[in-house]
Amino acid sequence: MSTDTDVMRGPGARTRPAWLNQWLKGETLLAWLFILPSLIGFITFYAVPAIRGLLISFTNWDMLRPAQNVGLANYQQLLADDQFWHALRVTSYYVLLNIPLQTIVAIGLAVMMDRLTKSLVVRGILVLPWLLPPVVVALIWLWILDPTLGIANQALRAIGVPRQDFLGGVVQAMPSIALINNWQYTGYTALLIFAGLQTIPKDVYEAGAIDGAGETRMFWSITLPLLRPVLVFVLVTTVIGSFQIFDTIAITTKGGPIDATRVINWYIYEVAFARFQMGYATALAVALFVILLIVTILQMRFLQSGQSDLA
Amino acid sequence: MMQPRHRFVLTVFVLMLALGVLAACSPSAPTQAPAPSAPAGQQPAGQQPAAPAKAGATTIRYALWDSNQQPAYQQCVDAFQKKNPNITVKIEQAGWGDYWSSIQTGMVSGTAPDVFTNHLAKYPEFAQKGQLVDIEPLVKRDNVPTNIYVGQLAELWSREGKRYGLPKDWDTVAIVYNADMLKKANIDPATIKDWTWNAQDGGTFGQAIAKLSIDSKGNDGTSPNFDPKNVTQYGFIHQGSGGFAGQTQWSMFAVSNGFKFIDAPWSKKYYYDDPKLAETMAWYYSLVKKGFAPPLADVKSLGGGTLFQSGKGAMTTDGSWTINDYLNNSKFQVGFGLLPKGPNGRKSMFNGLADSIWVGSKNQDAAWQWVKFAASPECADLVGATGVVFPAIKSGVDKSLAFRKSKNVDVSAFTEEGLDNNVTFLFPITDNGAQISNIMDPLMDSIMLGQAEPAAALKDANAKVNALFK
């Protein structure tokens, strides 16, 4: 975590009187007051439970009998657990299905929103799926994709395509879930990117136009490079979100068929609330946390989130 | 200038997001279980501080999962309250899917119901964790007869001298058929009782299934032209892959083929690697492959019962607790027939529910009074008269049959099996139920999806299951 140690050095390096001055001016105090409500929420609902979770991961707590300290046994079990590795593979597969498609479509939508239409209605429609509760979305798609009754198969049959299993098939289940979530979240991602597009100065485009660049050329040479900081933010949050996919699976496949969609979060849920092995479940959660941390640091390193080409 | 701060903010944000994973898993309840009464129910109920029975009204909460049974048990509650004016019983119902996690989390947070309907697959774990009151001393104290129950129902709920519930009902599995479809295929329902089954060609039962399967061109399954890709009517609708017990799916075929789950209740060794089971599963899956039964995906999404009721198939196998469901929701005449005779005769799983008392209940005395009543002939007769399930006591079963007869429905297939000890075999009752299910459920799915070869897969799974007991 060299990123934040840099920052930590920042305030420390300053001279104390200046720091005190700021306090006296009341700005820092005011800032903390503003942060306080969400800080309380963060500590109560995130930090404390997370630390408790970490502690539980060193025990064999089953919720009903007193917990015993088992040291690193849960983590040893985890390394040898086929289901854990399988869950990781399945989750990565989902992320790979989900993120590239969603990001590409979202960029396309955002550019269209920005360059082609100013209609609020059209822009509104794009984010509409995101306004629906995920459970409702999953239920709607569960019915649409039902192998026997679903409208998707009826439509396919009308054009002569044979019946598809969709969520009920080992091969098709994960792509189906990825598509459902794409449908739901692409509009929102597009909105974030669209906001990023607003930060690109118009004169850059004017300069490009004067130099004779077309719409495509400007996209590759102006829009994308200048959009990078926002894209990094979008990618980091959507990748983390994808790794934590749960609701769609809980509604549609419950980890099946067989274990084709048993993603890591669903596996954690099963261990915790079907098998009641809280110690092991929290160890799995800690592992997921560490994995996400590494993925995020790598992403931010590679994409140089800190620098903008505008500067 | 803004850069480092920007990065810092992003990092913090990301950390918060990621931390959510951890937080989601960490319960808000205290790490220590609240159960002050460590060994299950050693305190005689009389000494409970539940004395307010004198002071005034006691309310106990009673949980069950089958909404169909709620009205029947409400009748019992009314009768009970009339006899015990100082006790009020409040029924709480939650679907099977949420039932067990809500009971367990309730035990952790101290809000579990005083009495709850328990299942053989679930109670060993609760007992092991000291969450169930041992009612054996109470049974002895109040001289509750345990020999009035059908078959071995009462024994299923006791282990090493402790007793964790009094039986209230039982169930068996039978063939459910669409009488109209049988008629069209010229199959006389009266012949069902003579049907045979074997794992090689399915016997006469298998022939009936083939004959009842019809494709879009009108060929039936016995014709060489039968097109398994365009089936309009399935001969047999299976109830899914059945997981670790296959109660309404494959257990009756496997056991009639000579398979047994375990040697006796509480064994520490399963026999899922028995070739007899592999054979049975191969036959079971062959129905799907031949187009005689729907793909697993269809059954998973709608449920075998719904597929049958919507006229997608001619026969299915299901448990006696679903009789009402079939009768009320089918637009055609439904009949119930005996399961076919396998190489080892006719076999049906025999299972029963019982009411258990939670150790954390503050009104264990009142709870015991209710458990006793719910398992009494009086309640059995009330429940039996509604026909919704077969009560654990013979007189209640008669009431149930009489009710069906008055409606011109013959459900004797279930009772004939249930009351014959040569037919019934017990639900496999052992420790580690949740983990066995965790191993077997996906495995049986993969067999029914044609993704695993039964013999090898079952052998492998059996090793994993038996390793749980080491």
Side-chain angles (χ1 to χ4, degrees), chain B residues 409-432:
Chain B
V409 183
D410 180 9
V411 295
S412 60
F414 294 101
T415 49
E416 205 180 315
E417 290 172 359
L419 301 176
D420 184 343
N421 283 338
N422 292 323
V423 170
T424 54
F425 62 91
L426 295 176
F427 187 93
I429 174 173
T430 64
D431 288 322
N432 296 319

Side-chain angles (χ1 to χ4, degrees), chain B residues 146-380:
Chain B
T146 54
N147 56 0
I148 56 171
Y149 303 108
V150 173
Q152 302 175 52
L153 284 176
E155 282 70 54
L156 288 173
W157 294 89
S158 81
R159 182 183 197 181
E160 289 159 7
K162 292 181 175 172
R163 190 180 294 277
Y164 299 105
L166 280 182
K168 46 185 225 170
D169 65 14
W170 58 265
D171 52 71
T172 50
V173 178
I175 294 177
V176 186
Y177 61 84
N178 181 324
D180 302 351
M181 289 181 180
L182 261 65
K183 202 170 177 189
K184 256 182 228 153
N186 281 322
I187 295 175
D188 180 2
T191 61
I192 292 180
K193 65 178 192 320
D194 303 320
W195 281 355
T196 59
W197 173 85
N198 64 65
Q200 284 70 45
D201 62 10
T204 49
F205 177 56
Q207 284 165 23
I209 290 177
K211 204 155 176 229
L212 287 162
S213 304
I214 296 168
D215 73 5
S216 54
K217 295 206 178 68
N219 298 314
D220 71 36
T222 57
S223 150
N225 300 323
F226 180 74
D227 176 9
K229 293 248 179 296
N230 286 298
V231 180
T232 51
Q233 173 185 315
Y234 294 109
F236 181 74
I237 289 178
H238 61 84
Q239 295 286 340
S241 64
F244 75 104
Q247 184 175 14
T248 62
Q249 291 85 4
W250 46 261
S251 64
M252 55 287 204
F253 301 117
V255 174
S256 77
N257 197 29
F259 165 75
K260 64 178 171 185
F261 286 92
I262 49 177
D263 287 316
W266 308 110
S267 288
K268 294 183 186 308
K269 189 176 171 206
Y270 273 84
Y271 296 105
Y272 287 125
D273 56 350
D274 185 343
K276 301 281 182 200
L277 176 62
E279 261 175 34
T280 307
M281 290 313 293
W283 172 79
Y284 199 55
Y285 171 61
S286 77
L287 295 178
V288 176
K289 226 168 29 186
K290 290 178 188 159
F292 295 171
L296 184 64
D298 294 17
V299 174
K300 282 222 159 186
S301 74
L302 289 176
T306 312
L307 283 177
F308 176 86
Q309 287 155 16
S310 62
K312 293 261 179 201
M315 297 188 288
T316 185
T317 47
D318 217 336
S320 49
W321 64 92
T322 59
I323 294 174
N324 266 355
D325 193 35
Y326 283 99
L327 292 174
N328 297 341
N329 297 318
S330 308
K331 292 196 182 71
F332 44 82
Q333 203 199 327
V334 177
F336 304 95
L338 289 168
L339 291 168
K341 283 184 201 147
N344 270 21
R346 202 191 312 281
K347 296 288 171 189
S348 164
M349 190 177 275
F350 190 60
N351 184 27
L353 308 181
D355 291 324
S356 295
I357 305 173
W358 175 45
V359 287
S361 163
K362 293 193 175 61
N363 300 305
Q364 290 186 9
D365 197 19
W368 163 242
Q369 296 304 327
W370 164 242
V371 168
K372 203 164 62 174
F373 184 81
S376 70
E378 190 177 349
C379 178

Side-chain angles (χ1 to χ4, degrees), chain B residues 10-26:
Chain B
L10 195 57
T11 313
V12 169
F13 181 69
V14 161
L15 270 171
M16 286 166 72
L17 270 181
L19 219 52
V21 195
L22 271 177
C25 250
S26 161

Side-chain angles (χ1 to χ4, degrees), chain A residues 1 3 42 46 49 52 61-64 83 146 148 163 236-237 244 258 268 275-277 288 293 296 306, chain B residues 3 7 10-11 13-16 21 25-27 29 31 33 104 108 129 131 298 301-302 435 438 442 446:
Chain A
M1 289 302 308
T3 40
F42 173 74
Y46 271 74
R52 285 273 313 284
W61 189 46
D62 65 6
M63 290 173 85
L64 290 172
Q83 291 184 326
D146 187 278
T148 17
R163 193 196 101 108
V236 167
T237 51
Q244 298 186 22
I258 312 177
I268 293 173
R275 285 151 64 178
F276 300 108
Q277 300 170 338
L288 176 59
L293 206 62
T296 306
Chain B
Q3 267 61 339
R7 203 194 294 175
L10 195 57
T11 313
F13 181 69
V14 161
L15 270 171
M16 286 166 72
V21 195
C25 250
S26 161
T31 319
Q104 172 120 10
V108 178
K129 290 177 182 170
Q131 293 302 309
D298 294 17
S301 74
L302 289 176
Q435 297 199 57
N438 189 266
S446 60

Side-chain angles (χ1 to χ4, degrees), chain A residues 53-159:
Chain A
L54 183 67
L55 296 179
I56 291 172
S57 78
F58 297 111
T59 69
N60 64 353
W61 189 46
D62 65 6
M63 290 173 85
L64 290 172
R65 283 175 293 199
Q68 282 166 329
N69 213 322
V70 294
L72 291 171
N74 285 328
Y75 292 93
Q76 279 165 349
Q77 184 188 346
L78 179 147
L79 289 176
D81 182 356
D82 293 344
Q83 291 184 326
F84 167 70
W85 296 108
H86 172 82
L88 273 189
R89 276 195 298 277
V90 169
T91 314
S92 312
Y93 176 50
Y94 168 76
V95 174
L96 284 178
L97 284 173
N98 197 39
I99 296 301
L101 185 66
Q102 176 173 314
T103 313
I104 291 166
V105 176
I107 292 174
L109 282 178
V111 171
M112 279 198 279
M113 276 199 271
D114 189 41
R115 310 285 294 166
L116 299 181
T117 174
K118 298 266 178 279
S119 159
L120 258 183
V121 178
V122 175
R123 290 175 182 177
I125 287 174
L126 288 176
V127 288
L128 212 55
W130 177 63
L131 297 178
L132 295 170
V135 172
V136 174
V137 170
L139 277 174
I140 292 171
W141 279 98
L142 186 63
W143 278 102
I144 293 177
L145 297 179
D146 187 278
T148 17
L149 299 177
I151 196 169
N153 261 332
Q154 310 274 2
L156 286 179
R157 198 177 308 149
I159 56 168

Side-chain angles (χ1 to χ4, degrees), chain A residues 121-203:
Chain A
V121 178
V122 175
R123 290 175 182 177
I125 287 174
L126 288 176
V127 288
L128 212 55
W130 177 63
L131 297 178
L132 295 170
V135 172
V136 174
V137 170
L139 277 174
I140 292 171
W141 279 98
L142 186 63
W143 278 102
I144 293 177
L145 297 179
D146 187 278
T148 17
L149 299 177
I151 196 169
N153 261 332
Q154 310 274 2
L156 286 179
R157 198 177 308 149
I159 56 168
V161 179
R163 193 196 101 108
Q164 304 294 315
D165 280 339
F166 295 119
L167 292 161
V170 177
V171 178
Q172 290 181 359
M174 202 44 119
S176 302
I177 285 171
L179 280 178
I180 294 173
N181 283 356
N182 259 321
W183 181 81
Q184 169 155 39
Y185 293 112
T186 301
Y188 171 65
T189 312
L191 196 70
L192 291 178
I193 297 173
F194 173 73
L197 289 175
Q198 308 307 305
T199 64
I200 302 175
K202 293 284 174 245
D203 48 3

